[in-house]
Amino acid sequence: MIFTSSSSSRLMLNVKTVPALARAGADIPFKRLLCSPRLRSSTSATQTEPRDDANSRGGAQHDSALSEFPGQPGRGGRDGNTSTAANEISVDFDQSRGAYKSKDSLELLRSLVVFKLCSYDFLVDKNKEIMDLGKKILGQRAFDQFMKMTFYGQFVAGEDHMAIRPLIQKNQAFGVGSVLDYSVEEDISQEEAEQKEMNSCLSAAEKQILAEDHTENKNKAHKQFKDRRGGVTGARTYFYADEAKCDQHMETFIKCIKASGGSSMDGFTAIKMTALGRPQFLLQFSEVLVKWRQFFTYLASKQGNDGTEALEWRLELEQLQEFLTKLGAKGDMHGWFTGRNEASSGTIDMLDWNSLIDDRTKISDLLVVPNVELGELEPLLQKFTAEDEKQMKRMLQRMDILVKHAIENGVRLMVDAEQTYLQPAISRLTLEMQRIYNKETPVIFNTYQCYLKEAYDNVSMDVEMSRREGWHFAAKLVRGAYMYQERERAKDIGYDDPINPDYDSTNIMYHRCLDYVLDEIALKRNANIMVASHNEDTVKHTLRRMNELGLVPTENKVYFGQLLGMCDQISFPLGQAGFPVYKYVPYGPVNEVMPYLSRRAQENRGFMKGVQKERELLWKELKRRLASGELLYRPVY
């Protein structure tokens, strides 16, 4: 059933049945790839408007000093000094000694130097040219050593799974776990990136008719945005070459999973869906999901659902039957829901609506939309070849293989978010894996970018889906990595800007999503959240809400995450207080991690200009060690 709507067009409906999709080791019912429930509204009464100034001392008050005894991440390693008389837990983020107990003085000095350099616009803007010049002057070997002493040493754990082990084990000894991220990125020119992107995002038929209509659709490849690295600072980018390259990426992720399992307890491995297959499928599948959701929204608006929370939208079946019949639809709505409780109640919601397309897996049959001029349904693609179908299935197979390796090695998978025109499909595929593998314990974590206007709807619908079906919701909340690119793309192509209008509204959205999941944890203890934020106010807000809801660190339901080399004054006090906290740990050969380091420098520029607290604490600790004769301090663990 697919739709279109306009003031002069009629709505057309079609129902098709198609065979099931095979994946490695089991059958993935495609019905699961298209479900998006909406039911309940947030029970949280806390709707704060946090300041995201990380130098601010606002937020939760410090009730007691932080214990400096190390503990294992997520193992309840805090001692009594962190608890108030009311059994509430507070963490002091102003103590330099506890924050940097895991660092020697040279590491502190390196942090100060690197953070200062990241605040200079000229050095950041020209960092690639400067690094290329450095290679020529010093030679590759000396340049690599210099980078290990500075930027690489600050933000990257090492060159391979053996080299990173000491740092991972040291961090774990001080209460901080790891999310391993093999950060090698292909260093290709913009022209090569653009060529690869267009080739991978168009079917054989579309390549023959690279038509003007591509400029109007959000979920299509666009020439002016072929290089997906543009305007992106803190995320890796994969460009599709062929299926063999995707297999190589899968093998790399498997090595990362094994490294995580062999180096730490309860670790994570970060993966990107665009590394596992051709983006063409993600674009096309995202388009179907977006149009299907728009159809429900359109029908809901006709029944007066405007102005209510999306999770509260319900369609009256009798009214819906009358409305669709007038528009030319055929079939009995009640018959479509035969045997369902919702049919007897006379209403359906988004989850029920999506059940209409259960068990449809053949993409060539599913990707159809009405052609208003011709008055008939036509495929989104003129041809969807057998090879296109195989490529889509291989992506699911690779994902399935990675999950099984993660389970075998006691590791959890963190699926990173990507651009909005790819993300609906990425989230659906991730949720399908969660349905299968998160039944007993949270193995797969999805990522939600809270700078998106629809972030709360996405989070609340997926939580409700997990609640109905009885699996563990698991998510990482971030603010987002593609803002500049997304806004420029929306403006140039002509669709609504998906990004919240300003930073304050993004912060409100972040806390709204966070509060919703925390409430769900308190109600059901079947949800899990990683608060991936460098914002001290957000962390304090989370601790305050945990205290209010009676959530304790030892439950391992609420995690915290920061990047390696940044915000140690948040990560280590949390870890030493017994909270499950993790560093995003990039690794890879020096020369091959340069693209990552280049963008990390750009990201840190704005961060370091606006944040002084970390540098102040670093200086404070260095001065303390100098005054106390501990300048040669070495961490013991």
Side-chain angles (χ1 to χ4, degrees), residues 92 109 147 236 248 314 345 353 411 468 533 574 615:
D92 192 340
L109 186 60
M147 292 303 295
R236 286 172 302 144
Q248 290 179 21
R314 301 189 72 82
S345 70
W353 176 256
V411 174
R468 290 189 185 188
S533 176
L574 281 172
R615 288 159 65 178

Side-chain angles (χ1 to χ4, degrees), residues 42-296:
S42 173
T43 59
S44 173
T46 305
Q47 291 296 329
T48 59
E49 297 187 16
R51 291 175 56 225
D52 201 18
D53 176 5
N55 195 35
S56 169
R57 302 301 173 91
Q61 297 298 314
H62 307 303
D63 294 323
S64 62
L66 169 71
S67 165
E68 294 184 1
F69 290 98
Q72 298 296 332
R75 300 294 182 186
R78 72 182 188 279
D79 73 72
N81 291 336
T82 61
S83 297
T84 65
N87 291 322
E88 294 185 351
I89 301 171
S90 66
V91 181
D92 192 340
F93 298 115
D94 294 323
Q95 282 199 0
S96 63
R97 186 171 185 176
Y100 303 113
K101 192 177 179 69
S102 66
K103 303 287 191 296
D104 62 40
S105 298
L106 281 178
E107 289 177 292
L108 302 185
L109 186 60
R110 180 186 65 194
S111 297
L112 281 168
V113 171
V114 170
F115 291 163
K116 185 63 177 177
L117 291 175
C118 286
S119 68
Y120 291 118
D121 288 340
F122 173 77
L123 293 178
V124 173
D125 291 336
K126 301 294 183 181
N127 74 84
K128 192 175 187 306
E129 291 86 347
I130 293 172
M131 286 193 287
D132 289 341
L133 180 62
K135 290 180 191 177
K136 292 179 181 178
I137 295 175
L138 299 175
Q140 186 67 55
R141 187 173 181 179
F143 176 77
D144 287 355
Q145 187 59 37
F146 173 75
M147 292 303 295
K148 288 180 180 179
M149 294 170 59
T150 53
F151 291 94
Y152 180 94
Q154 181 69 20
F155 301 118
V156 184
E159 298 200 64
D160 55 40
H161 68 282
M162 292 301 295
I164 67 176
R165 186 167 293 182
L167 184 142
I168 291 174
Q169 292 176 343
K170 181 179 75 169
N171 284 352
Q172 185 169 334
F174 288 92
V176 176
S178 298
V179 180
L180 292 195
D181 183 14
Y182 191 68
S183 296
V184 169
E185 184 176 297
E186 199 173 3
D187 191 11
I188 59 177
S189 67
Q190 181 175 345
E191 182 179 353
E192 290 176 294
E194 292 174 350
Q195 183 177 0
K196 284 188 174 185
E197 182 71 357
M198 295 307 289
N199 286 338
S200 65
C201 289
L202 299 174
S203 67
E206 287 177 310
K207 289 175 185 176
Q208 298 173 6
I209 51 170
L210 196 56
E212 294 77 12
D213 59 275
H214 284 276
T215 63
E216 299 176 359
N217 196 309
K218 173 183 176 181
N219 297 105
K220 294 286 188 182
H222 293 272
K223 291 183 178 180
Q224 64 268 45
F225 296 97
K226 289 181 291 189
D227 189 348
R228 283 185 283 117
R229 298 171 300 183
V232 178
T233 56
R236 286 172 302 144
T237 302
Y238 289 94
F239 291 98
Y240 180 87
D242 50 39
E243 293 298 297
K245 190 68 173 178
C246 293
D247 286 336
Q248 290 179 21
H249 291 152
M250 181 185 70
E251 292 299 327
T252 298
F253 288 143
I254 290 173
K255 291 179 182 177
C256 195
I257 289 169
K258 291 180 178 179
S260 181
S263 301
S264 63
M265 294 183 295
D266 300 327
F268 287 88
T269 291
I271 64 172
K272 257 185 162 56
M273 199 74 76
T274 48
L276 300 177
R278 199 174 176 200
Q280 176 200 354
F281 165 64
L282 296 175
L283 284 167
Q284 294 162 348
F285 188 25
S286 291
E287 182 175 21
V288 170
L289 292 167
V290 169
K291 288 192 174 184
W292 196 249
R293 182 168 172 172
Q294 287 173 342
F295 192 6
F296 182 89

Side-chain angles (χ1 to χ4, degrees), residues 96 100 107-109 111-112 115 613-623:
S96 63
Y100 303 113
E107 289 177 292
L108 302 185
L109 186 60
S111 297
L112 281 168
F115 291 163
K613 180 173 181 177
E614 185 164 8
R615 288 159 65 178
E616 291 172 359
L617 287 174
L618 285 164
W619 275 119
K620 179 180 177 181
E621 178 59 12
L622 274 175
K623 292 176 182 176

Side-chain angles (χ1 to χ4, degrees), residues 51-54 479 507 533-539 570:
R51 291 175 56 225
D52 201 18
D53 176 5
R479 280 171 171 80
N507 294 334
S533 176
H534 295 155
N535 183 334
E536 187 176 312
D537 285 338
T538 292
V539 173
I570 291 178

